[in-house]
Amino acid sequence: MSTQDLVPSPVGPVDVEQAEAALVERYPRLVRIAYLVLPPSLGRNRRVLTAHALVQRSLPRRRVPGPAVPQPRAAEDAVDPGYAYVRGEVLRQALVAGLPLRRLALPRRAQFPPLLPHVWGLRLFPRVGGADELALDQRLSRLSGPGRAAYVLRGLERQGDPEVLRVLAAAGVKDPESALAEADAVDAPPAPETRGAPGTPADRPERVGEQPGPGDRGATTGPTGTGTAAGPSGLGASAGAGRPGGTGSEGHGAEAGPEAPGGGRPEAGPAAGGGGLRAGVFDPGLRRSGVALLESDEFDPCALQARPTDLMRRRQHVRAVVVGVVALLVCGALLGLPGDGWGRNGAAAPSYARNPAAEAALDPAALKRVPPAVWPVSTRQDFSVWPARGGLTGDRALLRRALAVWARPGTSVHSSATPGTPVGPPMGPPQLLFAGVVDGARVVLLHDGLRAVRYAEPVEGTAGTALDFARTDGADTVGSAALVVSRAAGNVRYLTAPWVKETVVRDLLVPGKAPLPLPRDAAGVTEPMTSPALAQGCTRWNTLEVVDGSGRRLLTDLGELTPARLLWGPPAAPADATGAEARGAWARTACQLTAVRAHGVRSVNAWRFARQALPEGAGHGTWLCTRAETWRGTGSRVLAQFLVPSPAVPAALAARSEGSPACGVREPRVLAGVLWQAPGGGWYVLAAGSAGFTALEVSGGVKGRSDGPVLAVRAAAGARADLGGTLADGTRVGALR
């Protein structure tokens, strides 16, 4: 029990200041009590330090309440309430310190070596006494803790038996009577047969007491009529050394009688007064009683001697500790150095917070793992039902490094993120999608509901750790059909969704060419295919065509973690660009996709919004509007392109805009124009608008007007003009810019 678990004072209420004053004033006395009650088996050095610690921990933290009605006490047993409370706490802790540690019991604070006070390099112990002190210490060591406490209270504190019983009960002793009986046996007189040994006079002095206290037990008259005055420890008391008056009230002191000369009492028999005094004459050769020895220097833990510990052993221990610390530091440094091995958190930066929720989110054991049987019966098909795949899903060290680097990427980590993607740590345990070795790197794919995260580290060495982020919120079946798992040597590998049945490679620039099969392994990782994301030229544009349960989808790599979906058709109802017309149009506009590379693109839709008869009988031109939608919903890019009749000529970029609603669901209209040279050499301003335009007009360097959504006006080479249009409701609309 600590001093915070306050036990009501049996004497009266105690304030903290009152207890502190009592502790400071009688500190040596309290430490001596603790030293005597503690078991000698602890050793003198630990007994000294523990005694000081117990006394210092006995100060209460707040006012201690007292009993409603204090119990009656003899006048000689009355003590200061503050001292009584502190002494009770010292006894309680000393008794607890003597209890053995048990396997199933909760250990108490007093049973452990004290933290303070503490001495390094020295052993402290009281001064060495004589043979009497040694004998008393041996006899006390055979007593139980409550027995030693009873002996100390009666002998050192001069407490009567009723008060001793009350103090022991308040200190938590279950059987105070037995403890008192143990104390009686410490200094019990020898057996009668040993007292009258041959050759020894019957009146030879025995061990007598010199200092009986308030707790002296009353003298009794034995069968032979010999009165023996028993002191607190059962020893004879010297005449005149008892309480004032020397009366036998309450059984204290020897029987009353006339005093002999010199202050002694008359003999009551051959061994009156225990045989220690003969006719009131004191014998200086007698040995002192145990009660008197309690005040000796042998049991004073405040007057100490100091000796060094085992110097040779201490030197060996210090040397071993130094070697162990150096080895630990060297091993830790080697494990954490780049190139020599992975530390616990890999290439992660040092921790900057100790938040329980953040630590739980970075625990590899808490990663969400979806069983393979979930997605076929799920009502939704997206990243949330992807099963955990790959050969390293059980590598907890790899997963720990991936999570740690995600939360705290170090300076050596190559990190990238699509625009608008937060790069902070996950808000909760993320979902594990993949963990395995791909192209000489250990790759981990994770998903937290908002983002897909790719962590990659080389199999050999520690240089080149990569961390990629991509937004995937709102992903549908097609949007979650594939993720980039590796890029190496201009090639790309995808991890496909479990519902993807077939994967092929299709070159957008060659619409009539049959697609090539793209094999996958058991985990769903495709073979490498040439990526157009980092190509220097535009000689081919390989795309990933996947087949799922509802049709074919065309996906292209734009340098991000998620491939973009290619569509064809009006903004209100686009379709996957897998038909012949769509592939023909995309074959001439695919190279313009470099304008939306690494822009967080979710899908790209191409829409033919107008056809125009060209001047001088040059055929018909086609106007396309290409809109790239982003995962974040903002920052969309719109391209207006013009296609001449020749299918071998790439599309010409007529206009470009970012953040415009044109060509989208909210505003499915667009107006654009170009300066075009006819096959005969003449120059014209060509313009076209989507359905809804009733008139077009050019001004500035070229002037002209037409009724309808198309316009062709002759112009000079290099001419510049402003273009505008009128809707059916009279609204004026400018060209895309």
Side-chain angles (χ1 to χ4, degrees):
M1 178 177 296
S2 68
T3 56
Q4 298 186 26
D5 303 327
L6 298 180
V7 176
S9 173
V11 179
V14 179
D15 293 328
V16 177
E17 295 78 7
Q18 184 181 5
E20 182 185 15
L23 189 150
V24 173
E25 181 181 358
R26 305 187 185 182
Y27 184 82
R29 188 76 163 187
L30 293 169
V31 177
R32 185 187 292 265
I33 292 174
Y35 182 83
L36 288 168
V37 176
L38 286 170
S41 59
L42 293 178
R44 290 194 295 172
N45 180 75
R46 181 172 169 183
R47 281 175 72 191
V48 167
L49 298 180
T50 303
H52 284 272
L54 297 185
V55 175
Q56 295 173 16
R57 290 205 300 257
S58 298
L59 186 67
R61 296 186 181 273
R62 57 185 181 273
R63 177 182 172 85
V64 182
V69 179
Q71 298 180 3
R73 284 177 169 78
E76 59 270 18
D77 291 334
V79 294
D80 175 63
Y83 176 72
Y85 174 79
V86 176
R87 183 184 64 185
E89 286 297 307
V90 170
L91 287 174
R92 185 198 319 277
Q93 297 182 79
L95 292 174
V96 171
L99 298 177
L101 287 172
R102 301 186 182 276
R103 180 176 302 176
L104 301 180
L106 186 66
R108 311 285 286 276
R109 182 183 180 185
Q111 294 177 275
F112 293 102
L115 296 178
L116 290 175
H118 202 84
V119 180
W120 289 86
L122 289 176
R123 297 188 61 83
L124 303 178
F125 48 88
R127 297 174 182 174
V128 179
D132 293 347
E133 286 85 350
L134 178 59
L136 176 61
D137 192 38
Q138 291 176 347
R139 291 197 298 272
L140 290 178
S141 65
R142 292 192 289 268
L143 298 184
S144 64
R148 287 191 298 272
Y151 188 84
V152 171
L153 287 173
R154 263 198 332 200
L156 189 63
E157 291 293 283
R158 310 292 196 271
Q159 297 291 299
D161 289 354
E163 183 67 14
V164 171
L165 294 176
R166 280 193 291 266
V167 174
L168 291 179
V173 177
K174 296 181 179 180
D175 191 358
E177 296 287 350
S178 298
L180 207 57
E182 282 190 73
D184 289 340
V186 174
D187 291 324
E193 58 273 11
T194 61
R195 191 176 297 182
T200 302
D203 59 349
R204 180 175 180 175
E206 300 175 5
R207 300 182 183 181
V208 299
E210 295 178 339
Q211 299 178 359
D216 294 352
R217 310 193 73 174
T220 59
T221 302
T224 60
T226 302
T228 303
S233 57
L235 298 177
S238 60
R243 294 182 179 130
T247 65
S249 61
E250 296 182 4
H252 294 290
E255 286 190 355
E259 296 184 1
R265 296 191 184 278
E267 294 182 356
L277 291 175
R278 302 284 308 277
V281 179
F282 174 69
D283 187 351
L286 299 180
R287 300 178 63 183
R288 292 179 296 166
S289 71
V291 172
L293 293 176
L294 295 178
E295 298 282 358
S296 67
D297 291 342
E298 170 79 13
F299 306 110
D300 184 7
C302 290
L304 301 172
Q305 292 180 324
R307 293 292 186 272
T309 58
D310 191 333
L311 299 181
M312 293 299 295
R313 181 176 297 178
R314 187 174 69 186
R315 183 179 300 174
Q316 295 172 356
H317 289 175
V318 171
R319 187 181 299 120
V321 170
V322 171
V323 172
V325 171
V326 172
L328 183 63
L329 293 176
V330 171
C331 293
L334 292 177
L335 290 176
L337 286 176
D340 293 334
W342 291 107
R344 174 179 174 84
N345 294 331
S351 299
Y352 54 86
R354 304 294 295 178
N355 182 273
E359 291 181 350
L362 302 182
D363 184 4
L367 281 174
K368 298 178 182 177
R369 300 169 185 260
V370 178
V374 170
W375 74 265
V377 297
S378 175
T379 57
R380 54 188 293 183
Q381 287 189 343
D382 52 20
F383 291 114
S384 65
V385 295
W386 271 34
R389 292 171 288 176
L392 298 180
T393 55
D395 190 341
R396 296 190 62 176
L398 170 64
L399 299 179
R400 180 182 299 278
R401 293 194 298 270
L403 292 170
V405 173
W406 179 356
R408 307 182 310 275
T411 56
S412 62
V413 177
H414 303 284
S415 182
S416 67
T418 58
T421 303
V423 295
M427 297 180 63
Q431 177 185 350
L432 177 62
L433 304 181
F434 176 84
V437 176
V438 183
D439 293 332
R442 288 183 285 261
V443 179
V444 179
L445 289 178
L446 302 164
H447 188 259
D448 66 349
L450 173 66
R451 302 162 294 176
V453 180
R454 175 182 176 270
Y455 169 82
E457 65 181 32
V459 174
E460 301 294 337
T462 59
T465 303
L467 187 66
D468 302 314
F469 295 88
R471 285 189 64 167
T472 58
D473 47 318
D476 54 9
T477 303
V478 182
S480 57
L483 284 175
V484 173
V485 70
S486 172
R487 281 196 179 89
N491 296 327
V492 63
R493 291 179 186 260
Y494 293 97
L495 175 67
T496 58
W499 52 83
V500 172
K501 300 178 180 180
E502 181 185 357
T503 54
V504 296
V505 179
R506 185 180 292 276
D507 188 354
L508 273 187
L509 302 185
V510 188
K513 182 180 179 181
L516 300 176
L518 185 63
R520 296 177 295 168
D521 61 14
V525 178
T526 67
E527 292 293 321
M529 58 175 284
T530 304
S531 172
L534 302 178
Q536 298 296 327
C538 189
T539 57
R540 60 179 173 177
W541 197 281
N542 285 345
T543 58
L544 175 68
E545 186 173 310
V546 300
V547 179
D548 56 22
S550 57
R552 292 181 174 271
R553 321 292 183 186
L554 202 60
L555 308 174
T556 185
D557 181 21
L558 295 180
E560 300 168 356
L561 194 58
T562 55
R565 182 184 182 185
L566 299 182
L567 301 171
W568 171 259
D576 289 282
T578 55
E581 182 183 9
R583 292 201 304 269
W586 273 108
R588 303 178 65 182
T589 60
C591 292
Q592 297 293 345
L593 288 173
T594 56
V596 296
R597 182 185 294 163
H599 194 61
V601 175
R602 178 175 186 172
S603 63
V604 185
N605 181 43
W607 170 41
R608 186 185 65 192
F609 66 89
R611 285 178 61 88
Q612 180 179 14
L614 301 178
E616 300 181 10
H620 289 80
T622 303
W623 291 88
L624 296 181
C625 184
T626 304
R627 180 180 178 86
E629 297 282 3
T630 64
W631 284 96
R632 62 189 181 277
T634 59
S636 300
R637 292 192 176 185
V638 180
L639 307 177
Q641 302 174 82
F642 177 69
L643 280 66
V644 299
S646 174
V649 179
L653 183 62
R656 174 166 46 190
S657 177
E658 183 169 353
S660 172
C663 291
V665 177
R666 291 179 52 195
E667 190 175 315
R669 61 174 180 265
V670 63
L671 174 62
V674 295
L675 184 63
W676 173 76
Q677 184 180 21
W683 289 90
Y684 295 85
V685 172
L686 303 180
S690 57
F693 283 90
T694 58
L696 303 180
E697 181 180 0
V698 292
S699 60
V702 179
K703 296 184 182 296
R705 177 183 173 83
S706 69
D707 295 330
V710 295
L711 176 144
V713 179
R714 194 171 184 87
R720 303 181 67 86
D722 295 327
L723 176 63
T726 304
L727 298 177
D729 60 359
T731 304
R732 294 283 298 177
V733 178
L736 181 69
R737 64 181 65 242

